[in-house]
Amino acid sequence: MYPPVSSQPNLPALENEVLARWAREHSFQQSIDMRDAGTDGSNEFVFYDGPPFANGLPHYGHLLTGYVKDAIPRYQTMRGRRVERRFGWDCHGLPAEVQAEKELGISGHPEISAFGVDKFNDACRSSVLQFTEEWRDYVTRQARWVDFDNDYKTLDLDYMESVMWAFKTLWDKGLIYEGFRVLAYCWRCETPLSNTETRMDDVYRDRQDPAVTVWFELETGERILAWTTTPWTLPSNLALAVGPDIDYAVLEVDGERWIIAESRLGAYEAQLGEAVQVGSLKGSDLVGRRYSPLFDYFAEMPNAFQVLSADFVSTEDGTGIVHMAPGFGEEDQNACNAAGIDTVCPMDEHGQYTLEISDWVGQHVFDANPLIIRSLKDSGRLVRHDSYMHSYPHCWRCAEPLVYRAISSWFVKVTDVKDRMVELNQQINWVPSHVKDGSFGKWLENARDWSISRNRFWGSPIPVWVSDNPDFPRIDVYGSVAELEADFGVRVADLHRPVIDELVRPNPDDPSGTSMMRRVPEVLDCWFESGSMPFAQVHYPFENAEWFEHHYPGDFIVEYLGQTRGWFYTMHVLATALFDRPAFSNCVSHGIVLGDDGAKMSKSLNNYPDPNQMFEVYGSDAMRWYLLSSPILRGSDFSVTETGMRDTVRQVVLPLWNAYYFLTLYAGAAGTTGSFRTDQEDVLDRYLLGELAELIDAVTESMDAYDLYGACEQVQGFLDTLTNWFIRRSRDRFWEGDQDAIDTLHTALVLFTRVAAPLLPMVAEQVHSGLTGEGSVHHQDWPSSEDLPRDPELAIGMRRVRDACSTLLSLRKSEGLRVRLPLASATLATPDVALVQPHIDILRDEVNVKSVDLTDRVADHGTEELVLLPKALGPRLGGDTQKVIGAHKAGDWSFDDGVVTVGGIDLVEGEFEFRLVSDAEGAAATLPGKGGIVVLDTVVTSELEREGVARDLIRRIQTARREAELDVSDRISLSLEISEVVADAFTAHQTMVESETLAVESSMKIAGGDEVIHVVATERR
Ligand SMILES: [Zn+2]
């Protein structure tokens, strides 16, 4: 016998039971131990955990990623693979430092140094791991199997030593250099940032800046106009740039000549409206002309103050002439250096002018803007001043607006390995597939050298020691603790600052013995560390070198799409540069989880349901399914709502549970239990088992392709077949205790819960163990479809009948004809008559019609129509799409030899389809997939009406039975006080009413007021 099953399960309580059992029985560890690793790990499925920062609580994005990180390994385990899963923590870098600064109430380098780098780093260390216990609780509650006890942390000595090895190896390969380059720079955090960090979400935000137009005097006497939104860079202007092919107008007013791009004239109507155009020039005509400096701070700079040619000059805004300050713009720097103009950067690390700008020294550059504008106005150089709203980069950690600044920094020469990175990307399977040549491929193609040094405190040290006397230059780069020990005579137990900075030794190249070798002050970009995860987590190459050989690349990683510029990218850079291999073989990149209002999730907006509360109300399986079945796994963004989770319970979790409950109820009533069998002969049994075989194949294919969305769709489709077709159509058989029906449902549920186990791990566990009495469903082998019967003709015929039923029932609904009201007839016109014929009784019964006319003369009831699919057309045809759509509307199309031609253009497969369109008047509709047409006879005779009322009465009596808490098999005595209409129907159909409600006796009278239905059990089984 089955164990007792509640008809109304408390899902969260049930999940906690499962979690407790897993913990008690060490089910996770067992699931690993029971699978052999194979020779050199050949049977292992290698998962790399992308490390989160633990200085905040997990949000839905983490939970979603966690569900994927769990579902795929569960599936692979059932497929027989051994899947180790280690949790990882990202510990270093700005997120930790900014948090520590807040907690300590200090800010900036001087305050941190005064506070003590050692104490500051201690604060970072405790801050960064402050939520690890909460993380563990969340991750455990979401039923994610992962090893927390054997986790890796980027702050561990072993991990940091591997990172150091990576740096040294790149150095030895000539892939590391120090450069003075313009980089995005945070003046609050006092560090440069990489491209990765300036491309993260929320970095670009709207900002209002002053926009000024000023004039420069050319040696030829004209006044040339330049426009900028960073007036603070004007004191270090060293050149102007024009587009060589852009047309520039020469204008004259009051004896002065002005130069501006012709296409920008309209924007300067107010300033130059009076002027008369007296000539025009190509940009190339202006190139090489000298001009007088606007300010004289750098008046002596060689080669400065000339007009340069540059391709990046546009005429979208401004004047078509670009002001260039080589210390504050990457393009400016490249163009100026190419023209022999040096880079000057008169700004210090705090964002303040240095001594060169003598008038405003010490002034923060943003605060200097109004002062500069005033000065320009006073000198008569300001032509226009307005404000400009633009999307401007901000620091991803502290949210201050960034500046661009030339700074000395260490770089990985990514451009040297870029082509190889592009090649190796082709070996990676991306889900969704468009990421490969889309957001990731494009990012790779435009890859630039990676600034990896941060002028900060908490991170892996840049392992470079330099001589402190430039007269005796020397650079030493270290790749291990042992190498450090060899040179410095100390074995360090901690590679963090300030310990590492205390390693100082005399410069061996200095015969005077006075200069010393000191470490450069910078630490590494924390993305360099997370990118090192595949080898650093196992302390490669100092340990596990052989293990690493066989576990690299990893089989599977998952994170959100933005990591194509973050973790996915930095792992790929290091994998290519160090190992000439990809770091991972399969990568799932999902969209962003948004709040219920479609905006970014925000605590202050309170626009998302609290995850813990959702766990308590609906359970984690509902949340898992809800997220995994959403388009977010196909790369779209997705709004998370409480309604969505509630619907999941109603549409997925409860139907599964109810099917299980139904089985135990009826098997119990028949005093039996189901057995696992597949030789049943009943047509519905065979149909269900065949559909189950299809399900297994389809879900296997989806899971192998990392398509969880597709897997959910198939699982839900089968659940619908199981509950809304098989069970509903087999009620009479269950009622009679039919062993075949019971065995079929038992078998289906056993296999179904195995297939659904990765997607609904706890509910599946509970149902599976209730049915089989065996151990965990997650220790089972993945089912094979081979042992199940298949009958393709039965499948097609039955699916057609189901389509016809649901279409006819929709017609009933739209015509306002309730299902209990019998109708005279329905027509099904389908090409598959022979396959449908055997199931015609089911159709008649299901739709409640007296007869079904089955015909293959589809053409008598409808026509085929060409339908265009603009989504597919657009990308191929571009501008011709509208033309094709117009021609189609006008009927200008043909179909010859299988080729569809619209408006003279041949379409390709997938850009169109033929759909059936019904010609019939009234209640008619087409079936999906050109399956045919159904027509419903909607005439209601009084006889039909009477029978409908009798059926309504049966329904009400059944409700009364339930309310009286009668057993389904109890016989009853029925007494009715009903209206004349109902009485009329009852009299006409008394036998039917009595037999369907198990009434062994009945009495009836006409009701004076409200109707009364009274049932009493006469005999209990
Ligand atoms: Zn910052």
Side-chain angles (χ1 to χ4, degrees):
M1 295 293 275
Y2 295 118
V5 173
S6 163
S7 63
Q8 282 170 326
N10 176 339
L11 295 172
L14 175 155
E15 292 189 351
N16 283 318
E17 238 174 72
V18 172
L19 292 172
R21 192 189 321 155
W22 285 349
R24 208 166 50 236
E25 297 173 0
H26 305 284
S27 306
F28 169 43
Q29 192 54 46
Q30 269 192 54
S31 79
I32 296 172
D33 295 343
M34 66 195 300
R35 307 296 182 182
D36 188 54
T39 314
D40 293 333
S42 57
N43 191 41
E44 284 188 63
F45 179 81
V46 181
F47 164 69
Y48 290 160
D49 195 8
F53 287 107
N55 67 344
L57 290 174
H59 54 63
Y60 279 102
H62 296 120
L63 290 169
L64 164 67
T65 313
Y67 284 131
V68 184
K69 286 176 177 180
D70 186 68
I72 298 287
R74 278 186 197 271
Y75 167 70
Q76 291 292 344
T77 300
M78 293 180 80
R79 291 296 300 271
R81 310 285 296 275
R82 181 184 176 96
V83 195
E84 309 258 10
R85 279 155 272 179
R86 289 179 75 193
F87 203 86
W89 300 105
D90 208 347
C91 307
H92 285 147
L94 282 180
E97 293 200 43
V98 172
Q99 183 76 19
E101 281 179 89
K102 269 189 207 152
E103 284 165 15
L104 296 169
I106 57 175
S107 162
H109 286 42
E111 283 182 35
I112 293 170
S113 299
F115 180 76
V117 173
D118 52 344
K119 282 192 288 173
F120 179 73
N121 277 353
D122 285 345
C124 290
R125 189 191 305 266
S126 55
S127 148
V128 79
L129 293 172
Q130 97 190 77
F131 291 111
T132 48
E133 279 311 305
E134 283 84 348
W135 270 82
R136 190 172 178 148
D137 291 346
Y138 270 92
V139 169
T140 305
R141 180 63 187 87
Q142 76 170 135
R144 181 176 163 204
W145 278 356
V146 62
D147 185 354
F148 275 98
D149 298 326
N150 181 32
D151 57 3
Y152 72 86
K153 298 188 187 74
T154 60
L155 57 70
D156 290 339
L157 177 65
D158 285 351
Y159 194 101
M160 290 171 74
E161 188 178 27
S162 293
V163 169
M164 193 172 165
W165 166 84
F167 184 97
K168 171 76 184 317
T169 306
L170 295 179
W171 171 267
D172 290 343
K173 290 183 173 208
L175 290 172
I176 298 265
Y177 68 96
E178 193 181 14
F180 185 60
R181 295 248 314 269
V182 173
L183 295 172
Y185 181 86
C186 178
W187 45 269
R188 198 220 65 90
C189 298
E190 297 175 34
T191 185
L193 300 172
S194 69
N195 278 342
T196 292
E197 290 164 306
T198 54
R199 290 305 182 95
M200 301 198 327
D201 304 326
D202 298 335
V203 161
Y204 275 82
R205 298 185 207 165
D206 282 350
R207 176 179 155 89
Q208 190 99 19
D209 269 315
V212 300
T213 307
V214 297
W215 60 268
F216 294 83
E217 185 167 0
L218 290 175
E219 58 187 349
T220 43
E222 301 93 337
R223 294 177 167 187
I224 189 165
L225 294 174
W227 176 85
T228 177
T229 56
T230 50
W232 62 268
T233 60
L234 284 169
S236 58
N237 168 278
L238 296 185
L240 295 172
V242 294
D245 299 323
I246 296 175
D247 292 316
Y248 292 88
V250 183
L251 307 161
E252 191 171 308
V253 63
D254 298 336
E256 294 290 352
R257 291 194 167 195
W258 300 81
I259 294 180
I260 181 172
E262 269 182 8
S263 60
R264 298 301 302 163
L265 273 173
Y268 284 85
E269 191 85 13
Q271 288 74 32
L272 296 169
E274 306 282 293
V276 182
Q277 183 161 355
V278 294
S280 66
L281 294 164
K282 279 279 177 207
S284 50
D285 299 329
L286 288 163
V287 172
R289 289 199 199 176
R290 304 268 160 178
Y291 64 89
S292 318
L294 197 58
F295 294 90
D296 54 10
Y297 307 118
F298 299 101
E300 306 307 319
M301 279 294 290
N303 304 319
F305 312 112
Q306 56 169 311
V307 179
L308 306 177
S309 166
D311 294 329
F312 57 78
V313 176
S314 86
T315 52
E316 264 164 41
D317 42 25
T319 61
I321 295 129
V322 174
H323 132 71
M324 312 252 267
F328 299 118
E330 192 183 357
E331 287 171 329
D332 305 34
Q333 186 185 32
N334 292 339
C336 286
N337 291 173
I341 306 167
D342 278 350
T343 303
V344 296
C345 185
M347 180 178 78
D348 69 9
E349 64 272 25
H350 314 295
Q352 297 167 353
Y353 280 133
T354 48
L355 279 172
E356 295 102 316
I357 312 296
S358 47
D359 296 299
W360 295 299
V361 58
Q363 192 67 248
H364 192 283
V365 295
F366 289 144
D367 299 334
N369 273 336
L371 309 175
I372 304 234
I373 293 168
R374 161 123 313 249
S375 149
L376 290 166
K377 199 171 177 194
D378 291 348
S379 62
R381 305 302 286 263
L382 187 69
V383 176
R384 193 163 96 187
H385 171 208
D386 30 34
S387 73
Y388 187 68
M389 180 69 92
H390 56 162
S391 177
Y392 191 87
H394 292 69
C395 178
W396 67 292
R397 287 323 306 177
C398 74
E400 290 291 352
L402 300 175
V403 292
Y404 285 85
R405 175 196 184 202
I407 185 168
S408 184
S409 175
W410 294 86
F411 291 86
V412 175
K413 216 184 262 181
V414 176
T415 42
D416 265 19
V417 293
K418 187 174 85 174
D419 293 346
R420 186 63 182 148
M421 281 162 58
V422 170
E423 277 169 29
L424 290 174
N425 178 33
Q426 292 306 314
Q427 297 176 17
I428 300 170
N429 173 41
W430 287 92
V431 180
S433 59
H434 62 74
V435 177
K436 175 185 282 189
D437 296 317
S439 54
F440 194 67
K442 295 225 157 58
W443 183 250
L444 292 184
E445 278 166 24
N446 295 310
R448 288 188 285 172
D449 289 353
W450 174 15
S451 154
I452 50 164
S453 54
R454 296 291 173 272
N455 300 50
R456 297 292 313 190
F457 305 93
W458 178 239
S460 266
I462 299 250
V464 175
W465 273 252
V466 295
S467 161
D468 60 7
N469 183 346
D471 294 339
F472 301 100
R474 179 185 167 96
I475 295 181
D476 292 325
V477 178
Y478 294 90
S480 70
V481 169
E483 285 172 28
L484 287 174
E485 187 180 10
D487 275 5
F488 295 94
V490 221
R491 184 157 189 96
V492 290
D494 183 7
L495 287 169
H496 286 100
R497 300 184 68 187
V499 179
I500 191 76
D501 299 332
E502 286 156 13
L503 299 182
V504 176
R505 65 174 185 137
N507 178 358
D509 294 343
D510 175 4
S512 78
T514 51
S515 69
M516 303 296 279
M517 298 300 292
R518 295 178 193 281
R519 197 184 73 82
V520 300
E522 295 96 340
V523 296
L524 276 168
D525 178 5
C526 60
W527 293 94
F528 189 97
E529 297 178 81
S530 51
S532 301
M533 171 270 165
F535 52 91
Q537 66 161 338
V538 291
H539 197 207
Y540 176 91
F542 309 101
E543 291 177 73
N544 302 309
E546 210 182 296
W547 182 94
F548 180 72
E549 263 318 301
H550 302 300
H551 294 77
Y552 191 76
D555 287 308
F556 162 64
I557 59 171
V558 52
E559 293 296 334
Y560 93 107
L561 198 53
Q563 298 292 4
T564 47
R565 299 182 297 251
W567 189 55
F568 300 156
Y569 174 70
T570 57
M571 270 205 293
H572 193 62
V573 171
L574 294 177
T576 306
L578 293 169
F579 304 106
D580 194 36
R581 275 189 265 176
F584 43 90
S585 308
N586 299 285
C587 180
V588 175
S589 57
H590 57 75
I592 298 176
V593 189
L594 301 171
D596 53 22
D597 53 357
K600 185 179 150 54
M601 282 191 290
S602 139
K603 250 199 192 118
S604 55
L605 289 178
N606 193 23
N607 63 348
Y608 61 94
D610 173 37
N612 270 324
Q613 207 183 329
M614 297 300 99
F615 287 151
E616 277 169 37
V617 178
Y618 306 107
S620 161
D621 274 6
M623 188 192 292
R624 174 185 295 235
W625 178 279
Y626 173 56
L627 292 171
L628 295 187
S629 64
S630 78
I632 198 161
L633 282 177
R634 295 209 163 157
S636 309
D637 295 347
F638 180 69
S639 290
V640 62
T641 63
E642 178 167 359
T643 321
M645 278 176 255
R646 190 185 310 137
D647 289 348
T648 300
V649 169
R650 203 165 48 79
Q651 292 163 0
V652 181
V653 182
L654 287 182
L656 167 58
W657 189 267
N658 290 342
Y660 170 49
Y661 170 73
F662 180 89
L663 170 64
T664 60
L665 181 72
Y666 281 91
T672 180
T673 321
S675 314
F676 194 97
R677 268 179 61 206
T678 58
D679 61 348
Q680 294 84 322
E681 286 182 356
D682 181 274
V683 69
L684 278 168
D685 294 347
R686 276 170 45 238
Y687 169 67
L688 186 74
L689 295 173
E691 292 288 23
L692 189 58
E694 298 270 321
L695 171 78
I696 292 169
D697 288 349
V699 174
T700 305
E701 198 182 318
S702 292
M703 294 299 278
D704 282 345
Y706 300 86
D707 178 12
L708 293 164
Y709 175 92
C712 287
E713 217 171 41
Q714 283 128 12
V715 166
Q716 194 164 2
F718 180 83
L719 199 53
D720 183 55
T721 303
L722 180 73
T723 57
N724 289 329
W725 193 255
F726 174 75
I727 291 181
R728 225 162 43 74
R729 295 301 321 160
S730 310
R731 275 182 190 279
D732 291 348
R733 295 171 63 215
F734 282 101
W735 174 238
E736 288 153 11
D738 182 312
Q739 191 64 41
D740 279 358
I742 288 168
D743 288 347
T744 302
L745 183 52
H746 174 93
T747 305
L749 281 173
V750 168
L751 293 180
F752 178 78
T753 44
R754 288 184 197 167
V755 169
L759 306 170
L760 296 165
M762 293 185 276
V763 178
E765 182 77 302
Q766 204 65 325
V767 174
H768 188 270
S769 68
L771 292 172
T772 63
E774 292 169 16
S776 175
V777 68
H778 303 285
H779 297 165
Q780 297 288 330
D781 284 339
W782 187 253
S784 158
S785 65
E786 277 173 25
D787 311 329
L788 292 166
R790 287 200 207 236
D791 183 340
E793 294 196 344
L794 168 60
I796 295 172
M798 193 68 85
R799 283 180 201 162
R800 199 66 79 219
V801 169
R802 288 182 64 193
D803 287 342
C805 287
S806 65
T807 310
L808 283 164
L809 290 174
S810 313
L811 286 176
R812 268 184 170 272
K813 201 168 182 186
S814 57
E815 297 288 321
L817 299 165
R818 68 194 189 282
V819 182
R820 280 190 298 277
L821 172 67
L823 294 173
S825 75
T827 304
L828 168 57
T830 175
D832 307 314
V833 164
L835 302 181
V836 170
Q837 183 68 56
H839 319 301
I840 208 71
D841 289 351
I842 296 180
L843 175 59
R844 196 181 54 224
D845 193 42
E846 184 72 11
V847 185
N848 195 15
V849 291
K850 297 293 174 193
S851 73
V852 172
D853 302 329
L854 186 60
T855 168
D856 60 1
R857 297 171 66 89
V858 181
D860 288 358
H861 299 274
T863 42
E864 275 193 354
E865 202 170 73
L866 176 72
V867 181
L868 300 183
L869 304 170
K871 256 192 193 156
L873 279 174
R876 188 176 69 90
L877 295 180
D880 280 342
T881 311
Q882 284 311 318
K883 188 180 148 195
V884 166
I885 291 172
H888 174 247
K889 267 193 192 136
D892 173 17
W893 64 273
S894 64
F895 179 55
D896 289 315
D897 287 340
V899 177
V900 172
T901 309
V902 184
I905 293 174
D906 291 349
L907 302 190
V908 300
E909 191 111 354
E911 294 176 343
F912 63 90
E913 61 183 35
F914 282 100
R915 261 179 227 161
L916 263 178
V917 180
S918 164
D919 293 341
E921 295 278 319
T926 56
L927 302 184
K930 287 207 279 181
I933 289 173
V934 287
V935 184
L936 185 66
D937 179 353
T938 56
V939 177
V940 181
T941 61
S942 55
E943 198 180 326
L944 292 170
E945 182 62 45
R946 241 195 322 269
E947 189 180 336
V949 173
R951 294 213 170 264
D952 293 339
L953 178 62
I954 290 171
R955 165 88 173 183
R956 288 160 67 196
I957 298 168
Q958 302 291 26
T959 307
R961 287 182 58 109
R962 264 199 306 281
E963 280 166 1
E965 295 182 353
L966 298 189
D967 195 85
V968 284
S969 54
D970 287 347
R971 282 6 186 207
I972 57 163
S973 162
L974 175 66
S975 51
L976 302 168
E977 283 179 53
I978 44 182
S979 71
E980 277 187 48
V981 174
V982 181
D984 184 25
F986 177 69
T987 312
H989 296 282
Q990 184 166 356
T991 318
M992 175 180 81
V993 174
E994 287 177 350
S995 84
E996 299 235 339
T997 60
L998 301 186
V1000 289
E1001 54 191 45
S1002 63
S1003 64
M1004 184 266 286
K1005 60 178 177 182
I1006 305 298
D1010 289 346
E1011 294 188 327
V1012 178
I1013 293 171
H1014 191 62
V1015 297
V1016 180
T1018 56
E1019 140 197 14
R1020 305 200 76 145
R1021 277 216 289 198

